[in-house]
Amino acid sequence: MNKILKKMTKIKKRKAILIFGPAGSGKTSTAKRIAKNKGWTYFSEDEYWAKLKKGKPSEELRTNEEQKIIWKKVLKDIKNAFNKKHNVVLEFLVYEDPPKPLLFYKKELLKLKAEILVKILKPEFKIILDRRMKRNAIHDKSFFKRRKNNEPCVEYLQLEVLGSNHIKKKWIIKDTGYTIEEVYQKFFSEFIEGKEYLKK
């Protein structure tokens, strides 16, 4: 009986970290820092979207049909990572309430019996603007152009959705003033390094 218990304690549970927040909040940098840990794999939903939307206007909206395609592909890759005994960190954007990507990934990861940590990065809006200005990617240029012309910006929805009833206040990290390493140490390291708890 003791041998069985010892074996059971050695079995490591699958772990998954879900990170989202507005564009420019530091999701990618934080996720990549997490993935530096041995046995962790990083996924960015934006990379899947970039392939799907290649050649299309950067401001084109994402459809429900496209979203389902992306979810299926991401989930397949997460399952493959789990099969390789890897934990996963996934970063993504949320535009609407209810926050469908969050609800979908949580539901599916729980089915896979994974421990889940959910965190939302929410620096001050000025910090987000500064980061996007420095980054100067195609979608950032499009955003500033639309903002200058007082045109609708879906990016503002990424902030508004953080007030959703589906989002717990304890998930939100107001990371203004923190370095990526400080965010990692303060909000992620315990979960990654072995503290066993489930964030539902």
Side-chain angles (χ1 to χ4, degrees):
M1 186 68 175
N2 287 335
K3 288 182 179 180
I4 295 173
L5 287 172
K6 285 181 181 179
K7 285 183 180 180
M8 287 176 68
T9 56
K10 288 182 179 180
I11 296 172
K12 292 184 178 180
K13 293 182 179 179
R14 297 165 167 172
K15 291 187 177 182
I17 297 176
L18 302 178
I19 302 176
F20 66 99
S25 60
K27 299 183 303 299
T28 301
S29 298
T30 302
K32 286 182 176 179
R33 168 61 186 92
I34 290 167
K36 285 183 179 180
N37 288 281
K38 185 178 180 181
W40 281 82
T41 299
Y42 152 73
F43 295 105
S44 170
E45 204 188 66
D46 271 359
E47 292 179 4
Y48 292 81
W49 280 107
K51 291 177 182 178
L52 187 68
K53 293 282 196 180
K54 188 175 181 179
K56 297 180 180 179
S58 60
E59 65 272 15
E60 182 178 275
L61 296 177
R62 299 174 175 184
T63 68
N64 290 331
E65 291 74 21
E66 289 173 332
Q67 195 170 57
K68 289 175 182 177
I69 292 170
I70 295 295
W71 288 349
K72 186 176 180 180
K73 289 182 178 180
V74 173
L75 188 61
K76 179 182 178 182
D77 287 346
I78 286 175
K79 287 178 178 178
N80 286 338
F82 281 157
N83 289 337
K84 294 176 183 177
K85 309 300 181 186
H86 277 221
N87 298 309
V88 301
V89 52
L90 169 66
E91 58 106 347
F92 54 95
L93 290 167
V94 174
Y95 292 92
E96 58 191 335
D97 187 10
K100 292 178 183 177
L102 170 63
L103 300 178
F104 172 80
Y105 290 124
K106 277 190 67 186
K107 179 182 176 182
E108 295 301 319
L109 286 167
L110 286 171
K111 285 181 184 177
L112 297 172
K113 303 190 183 306
E115 283 188 286
I116 305 167
L117 179 68
V118 178
K119 289 297 179 184
I120 303 162
L121 302 183
K122 188 187 177 185
E124 294 175 2
F125 189 56
K126 181 182 180 300
I127 301 297
I128 291 174
L129 292 178
D130 288 345
R131 288 175 180 172
R132 297 196 70 176
M133 183 71 75
K134 290 176 183 176
R135 188 170 63 183
N136 203 30
I138 294 174
H139 51 280
D140 295 319
K141 291 177 182 178
S142 173
F143 164 68
F144 283 112
K145 182 179 178 181
R146 284 179 278 124
R147 190 167 184 264
K148 183 178 179 181
N149 295 332
N150 291 317
E151 296 174 8
C153 294
V154 294
E155 286 85 353
Y156 294 138
L157 299 176
Q158 299 167 16
L159 285 167
E160 291 176 11
V161 75
L162 300 188
S164 169
N165 290 330
H166 295 277
I167 291 175
K168 298 179 182 180
K169 289 183 180 179
K170 65 182 179 181
W171 292 345
I172 298 176
I173 301 173
K174 296 182 179 180
D175 56 331
T176 299
Y178 289 115
T179 64
I180 295 299
E181 186 61 28
E182 287 170 338
V183 169
Y184 170 78
Q185 293 296 339
K186 188 174 179 66
F187 300 102
F188 297 96
S189 61
E190 283 190 353
F191 180 80
I192 290 165
E193 292 165 13
K195 187 173 181 181
E196 304 291 334
Y197 60 97
L198 181 66
K199 292 289 184 180
K200 291 186 179 180

